[in-house]
Amino acid sequence: MRFLIIIPAHNEEQNLSFTLDSLQQQSSRDFKVVVVNDGSTDKTPEVIRKYTETDSRFETINLQKSEHQPGSKVVHAFKNGLQTQSLDEFDIICKFDADIILPEDYLEVVANAFINNPKFGLVGGLLYVEKEESWVYEGNSNKHHVRGPMKAYRKECFIQIGGLRETLGWDNIDSILLEHLGWKEIVLPELHVKLIKVKGADYTIRPADYYGRYFYFLGLSRFLAYIASSKEAMKSKSPSFFFDIIKAYEACKSQKLELKITKEEQKAVNDQRWRMLKKKWLKM
């Protein structure tokens, strides 16, 4: 199976070489990498050139710096890279971050998973971060969800879900839609992917605004958004956090901000959330 790997990169001169080196060292060699330089002002373009000038599997495109919004920025860059390629030439579409280190057998194991399981639509490993000179499981998400930095989609699944959405919550929307269409999202725990830096460090958006906007762009109904907000408030042990999240959600709703999912897809998202609510909270 042939991989198309798109890597959005903005000011990643310190990290990108680790990612690209780990790709060159893969046991599976059948891939193409497109690094999207998203308006970098550091030496990221120079790092990219070291690979594109010596390895024909590596290409690059340059963009003007896109608006720094959680979710939409990285997907915008990804889509620009994707548009330069013919999907007919590939079997697996990957969105990787520019600050990860893959184990040498990552692509080989992922390809075998797709080959042996026709219903697998999205496959990935687990993220590990460096802590006290050792690599430990990141733990920011459940172990059944493929995190945004290392998504690998079967091409047919990727096309059926309509690709990635330029919105906050894109890396949960994809999971919900592919499940709705009968595909499976699979995490392979034996694949440890090292994340060089902690995500979210560059975002200036307040946590409450982030969650409020996230619940809105995910397409949650008001009731489910309020339930999700109460859950986050309980985690932080702050009642005021609930009201701040709701304020942000309602602000988006009153402005009628455009959703990047259809009405049918919105229903699929809410149905999935209802199932989770019944299973975890109501024990149904």
Side-chain angles (χ1 to χ4, degrees):
M1 303 188 84
R2 190 163 194 233
F3 288 78
L4 171 61
I5 301 168
I6 310 293
I7 303 177
H10 172 71
N11 288 349
E12 293 285 0
E13 64 172 325
Q14 300 296 325
N15 306 313
L16 182 57
S17 61
F18 291 101
T19 303
L20 301 185
D21 282 347
S22 72
L23 284 168
Q24 283 191 320
Q25 295 162 9
Q26 290 295 302
S27 55
S28 175
R29 313 287 294 172
D30 196 8
F31 62 83
K32 176 183 279 191
V33 176
V34 180
V35 184
V36 183
N37 172 33
D38 190 9
S40 297
T41 56
D42 64 358
K43 295 181 180 179
T44 295
E46 296 176 27
V47 174
I48 297 171
R49 276 197 297 273
K50 292 179 181 178
Y51 297 85
T52 58
E53 291 177 352
T54 60
D55 192 330
S56 61
R57 296 172 300 172
F58 290 77
E59 297 181 4
T60 186
I61 66 169
N62 294 295
L63 305 179
Q64 296 295 320
K65 183 180 178 181
S66 54
E67 185 180 358
H68 194 180
Q69 291 292 332
S72 61
K73 173 184 170 66
V74 69
V75 176
H76 176 76
F78 170 86
K79 284 187 170 183
N80 275 271
L82 191 69
Q83 289 169 1
T84 67
Q85 305 298 311
S86 171
L87 296 190
D88 292 340
E89 301 177 13
F90 303 96
D91 305 292
I92 301 170
I93 312 299
C94 298
K95 180 270 172 195
F96 288 168
D97 277 7
D99 54 3
I100 59 173
I101 302 174
L102 302 166
E104 292 183 3
D105 62 346
Y106 192 86
L107 298 184
E108 180 181 0
V109 173
V110 168
N112 287 335
F114 280 122
I115 291 170
N116 296 326
N117 302 276
K119 296 308 293 181
F120 284 8
L122 170 59
V123 176
L126 290 176
L127 281 182
Y128 282 70
V129 295
E130 194 170 15
K131 186 176 182 181
E132 298 177 357
E133 300 184 355
S134 63
W135 291 91
V136 298
Y137 172 58
E138 183 198 32
N140 281 355
S141 181
N142 69 61
K143 291 188 175 182
H144 303 289
H145 176 57
V146 179
R147 299 275 278 118
M150 49 180 185
K151 300 270 194 176
Y153 305 87
R154 187 186 297 272
K155 180 180 65 177
E156 292 80 5
C157 172
F158 183 84
I159 292 172
Q160 281 191 32
I161 66 173
L164 306 185
R165 311 306 167 90
E166 292 184 43
T167 185
L168 193 61
W170 69 269
D171 59 340
N172 280 307
I173 290 172
D174 64 341
S175 301
I176 296 170
L177 295 183
L178 68 87
E179 179 185 331
H180 177 67
L181 292 169
W183 297 99
K184 292 183 179 181
E185 174 186 20
I186 300 296
V187 172
L188 303 175
E190 69 272 22
L191 292 179
H192 294 188
V193 178
K194 296 176 180 177
L195 179 65
I196 303 173
K197 68 179 182 181
V198 178
K199 289 295 157 199
D202 298 330
Y203 295 156
T204 57
I205 186 172
R206 293 190 315 137
D209 292 337
Y210 175 90
Y211 282 113
R213 292 174 63 84
Y214 170 69
F215 296 148
Y216 175 79
F217 286 111
L218 194 59
L220 294 188
S221 67
R222 179 175 276 113
F223 178 75
L224 287 175
Y226 279 39
I227 292 292
S229 300
S230 66
K231 182 179 178 181
E232 295 303 327
M234 284 189 287
K235 285 181 184 178
S236 65
K237 299 180 181 179
S238 171
S240 63
F241 194 44
F242 168 80
F243 294 103
D244 289 340
I245 297 173
I246 292 305
K247 182 179 179 181
Y249 172 85
E250 292 293 348
C252 293
K253 209 167 184 63
S254 64
Q255 295 173 50
K256 298 181 179 179
L257 298 181
E258 180 188 4
L259 295 178
K260 300 297 183 179
I261 55 177
T262 66
K263 290 289 185 182
E264 180 183 354
E265 291 169 344
Q266 190 174 351
K267 182 179 184 302
V269 169
N270 281 273
D271 287 347
Q272 189 259 12
R273 285 282 173 146
W274 268 114
R275 289 194 297 271
M276 290 174 57
L277 179 65
K278 291 177 181 179
K279 183 177 180 180
K280 291 184 179 180
W281 287 31
L282 305 179
K283 306 297 182 184
M284 294 174 61

